[in-house]
Amino acid sequence: MKNDYLKGRGAQVNTHNRFQKLQIEPDGEQNVPDEDFPEPTVQTRFYEDNPKQIISRPNSPDIGFMASVNPYMGCEHGCIYCYARNSHEYWGFSAGLDFETKIMVKKNAPELLEKEFLSKNYQPEAIHLSGNTDCYQPAERRFRLTRRMLELCLLYRNPVSIITKNALILRDKDLLQQLAAQNLVVVLITITTLDEELRQKMEPRTVTAQRRLQVIKELSGIGVPVGVMTAPIIPSLNEKDVPRLIELAAQHGAIWAGYTIVRLNGAVGPLFEDWIRKNYPDRAGKVLDQIRDCHGGQLSDSRFGTRMAGEGRFAEQIRQFHQMAVNKYMPDSRLPRLDTTRFLRKRQLNLFD
């Protein structure tokens, strides 16, 4: 590995941006302190965005949620495989190092969410936090947008689902416990590997697998339904950890397990290839070839129905590998269906206060 390797970052380069439409002004609140994540070589900068809408509804049959809210664009976790990297190009940034060092902060996200709840046309539905980037990434410690939106979901009794790989979610146990008592929340914790060296290289600003297992234990202990995502599975890199991950997650209270197979669309392909050749040169060719085998000979895959689970020999082996572990350690694997009937509009709350 070269001496100029950027510690604390996943991407080591900035890829070419297909779009250069937006001019972004830096936000004034910089240098976020975070006890879990020391400041890496290349420091993070924050940029304020003020969108007009906050709920997006992905038009994809592969996605199990319909209403997604992302308070941050870009993600400090720096996961090298992240599909969300490509979306950063729409902001005039690179999907590479910019994605994890230049974070768009939607400071008006809570106000926009409340506006949706108050609309006479709003039909109650589960709001999914982190459909694109992690709502508990390090920036949340300062900006607290996720907490404010959870407060609104509790106030209006609107169901919410969350996926994260950061232990910062435990800060909001008080809200999650109240939401869970009314069947208004589910949480998914992503754990990709038990190999700490691999985790540090692949997901440089995330907490350890042991910390994530502890999150599952603490949340399930207060009645919050928790599942585990062993995703993405990368052939010849982390698939061997899957059975043990599911076993440990079940022991810590997880009641469901899911997965996806890595796909390297757009700029993620060259970024991942650069990363794996620098970090694992001895097996880079094998890993890339097996990823291609899962996606019809390509590193990328945009086909509905196959892009998440893949196809072919390796994909089928992974599917069986995962299902056998679920059958053994989570035989009744399922998440609760969240309750949309409790929704209250603000003007009605006085009747119950």
Side-chain angles (χ1 to χ4, degrees), residues 30-280:
Q30 310 293 337
N31 302 320
V32 175
D34 194 301
E35 62 218 34
D36 284 326
F37 306 111
E39 189 63 34
T41 306
V42 180
Q43 294 190 350
T44 306
R45 295 189 66 81
F46 300 96
Y47 300 80
E48 184 173 352
D49 178 41
N50 289 286
K52 294 182 178 179
Q53 292 183 326
I54 196 60
I55 297 179
S56 62
R57 291 177 172 82
N59 182 25
S60 169
D62 296 321
I63 298 176
F65 56 86
M66 296 303 295
S68 174
V69 172
N70 294 280
Y72 308 101
M73 299 302 291
C75 186
E76 294 176 84
H77 286 159
C79 304
I80 191 59
Y81 52 73
C82 183
Y83 61 84
R85 286 181 176 275
N86 291 312
S87 63
H88 223 46
E89 294 182 340
Y90 291 96
W91 299 102
F93 295 134
S94 168
L97 194 56
D98 281 355
F99 174 78
E100 52 199 273
T101 62
K102 297 179 179 179
I103 309 300
M104 301 296 298
V105 181
K106 301 177 183 179
K107 288 189 175 181
N108 64 340
E111 289 76 16
L112 291 175
L113 184 60
E114 184 167 30
K115 183 179 178 181
E116 290 275 357
F117 289 164
L118 290 172
S119 169
K120 64 180 181 179
N121 296 321
Y122 178 73
Q123 296 297 316
E125 59 185 330
I127 299 297
H128 182 73
L129 296 178
S130 299
N132 200 43
T133 58
D134 200 312
C135 64
Y136 280 107
Q137 62 176 283
E140 170 63 16
R141 190 176 296 278
R142 169 171 293 192
F143 296 108
R144 300 174 67 87
L145 299 178
T146 300
R147 180 172 178 87
R148 288 171 59 195
M149 289 190 290
L150 288 179
E151 290 171 342
L152 289 170
C153 287
L154 181 60
L155 178 65
Y156 290 95
R157 310 299 189 261
N158 194 90
V160 59
S161 61
I162 303 167
I163 184 167
T164 185
K165 57 185 68 170
N166 196 342
L168 181 57
I169 191 174
L170 294 177
R171 179 201 63 188
D172 297 337
K173 286 194 301 183
D174 57 331
L175 299 176
L176 297 172
Q177 185 175 29
Q178 294 177 71
L179 287 162
Q182 301 178 70
N183 190 25
L184 294 175
V185 68
V186 294
V187 171
L188 300 181
I189 301 299
T190 299
I191 311 178
T192 52
T193 182
L194 294 169
D195 183 336
E196 179 58 12
E197 181 182 354
L198 173 59
R199 196 276 311 167
Q200 289 178 347
K201 293 176 179 177
M202 187 167 66
E203 306 168 341
R205 300 199 79 204
T206 62
V207 297
T208 66
Q210 291 302 317
R211 286 281 308 271
R212 298 183 218 184
L213 289 168
Q214 187 62 33
V215 169
I216 293 174
K217 183 177 182 178
E218 290 194 35
L219 292 181
S220 61
I222 60 172
V224 177
V226 186
V228 63
M229 281 294 290
T230 56
I233 295 176
I234 306 173
S236 294
L237 203 61
N238 68 341
E239 87 280 6
K240 67 181 185 301
D241 288 340
V242 171
R244 182 59 175 161
L245 280 175
I246 293 175
E247 179 184 11
L248 289 172
Q251 290 174 359
H252 285 74
I255 59 174
W256 179 87
Y259 79 99
T260 61
I261 291 179
V262 71
R263 57 191 181 96
L264 306 174
N265 286 20
V268 185
L271 285 167
F272 184 89
E273 185 167 356
D274 173 76
W275 173 85
I276 199 166
R277 293 196 186 282
K278 287 177 177 175
N279 286 279
Y280 299 99

Side-chain angles (χ1 to χ4, degrees), residues 334-350:
R334 65 180 181 274
L335 292 170
R337 186 178 181 85
L338 298 180
D339 191 351
T340 60
T341 67
R342 296 176 179 268
F343 183 76
L344 298 172
R345 301 196 187 278
K346 188 173 183 179
R347 62 179 178 273
Q348 295 175 304
L349 293 177
N350 290 335

